Amino acid sequence: MSAINVRSTAIGLGLAVAACVAVPALLSSYWIYLAITAVVSGVIMQSYGVIVGRAGVMSLCQWSFAAIGAWVVMRLNLSDAPGGFLLWLLLGGLAAVPVGVAIGLPALRIRGVNLAVITFGFAVSADLVLNVNQFPGTSELKTVARPSMFATNGRYFILAVIVFTVLAIGLALLNRTRLGMSWLELRHSERAAAAHGISVARSKLAAFAISAFIAGIGGGLLAGQLGLVVSSNFSMGQSLAMFAMAILIGPHNIEGAIMGGVMGAIMATIMDKLKLPQDLGGMLFGVLAIFALRSGISQTDMVRARKRERAARGLLDKVKDATGPADSAPAEATPAVTPAVTPAVTPAVTPVAAAGEPCLAVRDLTVRFGKVVALDSVDLTVPAGSVVGLIGPNGAGKSTFIATVTGFVSGYEGAVELDGRPIDKLTPSVRARRGLRRTFQTTVIAPELTQYEYLTIGAGRRLAKAEADELLDFFGCPPGEVPVSIVDVGTRRLLDVAAAIAARPKVALLDEPAAGQSAAESLLLGRRLAQVPERFGVSILLVEHDMELVRAACSQVTVLDFGHVIASGPTEAVLEDPAVMAAYLGTADVPADVPADVPGAETGAETGAEPVAEPTA
Ligand SMILES: Nc1ncnc2c1ncn2[C@@H]1O[C@H](COP(=O)(O)OP(=O)(O)OP(=O)(O)O)[C@@H](O)[C@H]1O
């Protein structure tokens, strides 16, 4: 499921070999030199691909990392250090890593444009330092000694292609790991990443470190190409133009890195031939990049998404044909839950408390937002092997309860215990890894992921295809290859629930998972959720407004009103309690199965966005 695409890799390798044969044999020395420039720029583009394209961090200082690589290579060359050029290249890349991590540290607290300003500041400082201090060897005119095998420009082109290819394969493998996929999730929502147990800090620092390493290698290659480098080779203008190009093209896709490299090399030549100032090229990319930023998607992402969606639509049509018109039967005709798969084959991954024992125990929980007391001394227990409902009118404090228990709201009073152990001091990502997963009222899933990939992120481990298929079938999601971009909002919520369950946590806290579903789909989901503890070994705390769903899923219900628990106990008894109906529905005369999202205005409470602080992971 997460293996590297063999066909694309074989085609890519074939093209690389063809270029290595054709370029030195067929092109004049001028064009060979330009081809080297394109490949070296392509290497540096790959560093933008990691930090800007995948992790979504606005880094404007990749050329400064490249300068560090070049500096190390030239320094080692000047002192005739042992090991030769290839070792120096590696050391140049490694030397950029601690600087990348240091620049990444502010990124743990700062985002977006503010972070761009910090990286810009570093690039400007590096520019100043390089202007004052020459690169080693420039005053002695000691040019970099290339390896004898790659001494000529034709041969050096081959070396550059080898380095580019090795990095591209390494990144393709990395992108399929949890770390690589976590970058995509970070780009879309740090909260969602933390809820999946991803350490936001570690992922961001890793992105900075790896991108700095690649840029450092690129800088070292440039030093080998030019023999001697000067500060203007790593100017701010260059950095900005490459950044703009990265936004526009999307160098996290291999074709984007190649196109970026080629355009970077050719643009300078075209400007030269047209006798136009070089900065004009950078400005042109800058303008185009603004359009890319506005649309939120790079050119290569757009092309890839269209291709993938076309293929997935075919797959969806096939599934529709296979299942026939039964799927489009009226909502009322929906039968009792009939999962299309064989009964549970996958045992729970995390050991859970014995059935009936408290798995999640919350005591005396009080949360204040200024003068608003969102939760007031709330006690709630989720016994192992059960589905517990948490209901109440809009603004009662349900989402705040989930956010607090999962660590997204700090500074609360009370105690939260998971499997008998206090977790109050833990960050959201650590709580998630301990076995507490949550979904959000507003689902944010990176649209470029397939459902399989999203489940893998949620699971936090390699997921067998059969296991992923079982989960998707169980929750009624389309086939796993279908990209999230063409999945409707209601199904994305189900996918989110499936991803939470895929982790086999001790408890999954689901915040209105049925929003966007029809009444029949919602009822079906309720019946499915009721099976989850036995089938997947996961207990559930369910926040919902749909009383039919709550009846179908929950054995116990706790009712909140203005942050207070007003009732708690077996579902039917609680839902028929006149005090609950009065509080929840506004009148005891209204039947309990009327959807309860209507009278929220009676409380005068705010609804909507997730009331949480930024994750502290
Ligand atoms: N970040 C915040 N700052 C200030 N007040 C907040 C914040 N988050 C929540 N509140 C308030 O806390 C109370 C509980 O809100 P919460 O969103 O938890 O209710 P809810 O029961 O989940 O509502 P809904 O059913 O509409 O989702 C509300 O009065 C809300 O306005």
Side-chain angles (χ1 to χ4, degrees), residues 444-501:
V444 190
I445 308 178
E448 54 267 58
L449 292 171
T450 64
Q451 296 190 99
Y452 278 146
E453 288 168 341
Y454 189 64
L455 283 187
T456 306
I457 291 180
R461 65 194 156 90
R462 200 166 280 279
L463 205 58
K465 187 173 180 302
E467 192 181 345
D469 287 340
E470 181 191 355
L471 275 160
L472 292 172
D473 280 351
F474 182 77
F475 284 105
C477 299
E481 297 86 357
V482 172
V484 173
S485 55
I486 57 167
V487 168
D488 64 67
V489 175
T491 310
R492 285 186 198 195
R493 282 178 174 276
L494 297 180
L495 177 63
D496 226 2
V497 175
I501 304 298

Side-chain angles (χ1 to χ4, degrees), residues 147-191:
S148 52
M149 243 183 101
F150 301 106
T152 64
N153 275 351
R155 294 288 185 90
Y156 195 75
F157 171 79
I158 295 174
L159 174 64
V161 170
I162 291 172
V163 172
F164 180 92
T165 309
V166 168
L167 289 173
I169 292 174
L171 285 177
L173 290 171
L174 186 66
N175 288 340
R176 281 163 173 76
T177 63
R178 184 161 156 76
L179 174 67
M181 280 191 247
S182 77
W183 290 333
L184 283 184
E185 184 153 53
L186 274 190
R187 190 167 85 172
H188 285 271
S189 167
E190 291 188 11
R191 284 187 314 155

